Amino acid sequence: NFMLTQPHSVSESPGKTVTISCTGSSGNIATNFVQWYQQRPGSVPTTVIYDDDRRPSGVPDRFSGSIDRSSNSASLTISGLKTEDEADYYCQSYDNTNRVFGGGTKLTVL
Amino acid sequence: QVQLVESGGGVVQPGGSLRLSCAASGFTFHIYGMHWVRQAPGMGLEWVAFISDDENRRYYADSVKDRFIVSRDNSKNTLYLQLNSLRPEDTAMYHCAKPLNYYDSKSYFDSWGQGTLVTVSS
């Protein structure tokens, strides 16, 4: 079965840039779109990137997404980090008809 | 605005059953395929099941296949998840989720319910 692997945690200072990776276990991650969700403690997830690299309205352009076919991975990059960006981030793609989530990455902004 | 309100969770013994409901409002429910997603305490998100607008397509995660049944009543704008043969590892918050576009079942989730907690314990 197709799986998505994310680093368990990352940390960076305010104002800096951080990148969270999401690596597919097999196949070609570019075959299906990748979504990225942000989940703050006690809240439901919200979408920060959809269809690999698009931002929903209201999401600041500090958030960007990309696909690297050579490493079969997707990435979420957050620039100009703010303390409010501290949250769990999940990538999500597809395995035929089913949706697959990555294990999540806890971002600490300190 | 879109509202998704889950109910039906509770404490159940291993091997038991529960039926979860998700009451939808603020959008044309009957044209959307809908999903269930769960999150165990302190753990990540896990997609559970999908049902198409007309109930003709139903897909399940391997972890719940043959134990859970997704259904819907479009006349009541309600989504259901029947949980059978429950195991301790099914303990989680269960959320219903709506995709952005009715015509694209793979579009991202733009609305989530707050969830209903299922605890499987003896």
Side-chain angles (χ1 to χ4, degrees), chain B residues 8-18 83 85-88 90-91 117-122:
Chain B
V11 180
V12 61
Q13 292 188 338
S17 298
L18 276 177
L83 286 61
S85 302
L86 281 162
R87 305 166 179 168
D90 295 318
T91 294
L117 182 62
V118 172
T119 302
V120 184
S121 174
S122 54

Side-chain angles (χ1 to χ4, degrees), chain A residues 53-73:
Chain A
D53 57 7
R54 304 185 69 178
R55 276 178 289 107
S57 60
V59 173
D61 60 6
R62 301 185 296 107
F63 290 81
S64 62
S66 63
I67 298 293
D68 182 350
R69 289 171 174 76
S70 66
S71 60
N72 203 39
S73 66

Side-chain angles (χ1 to χ4, degrees), chain A residues 1 32 35 37 39 44-45 47 50 56 90 94 96-99 101-103, chain B residues 35 37 39 43-45 47 59-60 62 95 105-109 112-114:
Chain A
N1 286 350
N32 291 294
Q35 329 291 359
Y37 297 93
Q39 187 179 30
V44 296
T47 306
Y50 71 97
Y90 296 90
Y94 307 85
N96 292 320
T97 57
N98 294 356
R99 297 193 183 220
F101 285 97
Chain B
H35 298 257
V37 177
Q39 187 168 30
M43 302 295 285
L45 301 170
W47 174 83
Y59 307 130
Y60 300 92
D62 288 346
H95 301 270
S105 62
K106 289 189 172 182
S107 59
Y108 69 89
F109 296 137
W112 299 67
Q114 290 298 316

Side-chain angles (χ1 to χ4, degrees), chain B residues 48-66:
Chain B
V48 173
F50 164 81
I51 184 168
S52 61
D53 57 338
D54 60 6
E55 297 190 86
N56 284 340
R57 291 175 291 136
R58 307 182 198 209
Y59 307 130
Y60 300 92
D62 288 346
S63 58
V64 307
K65 196 176 296 184
D66 301 325

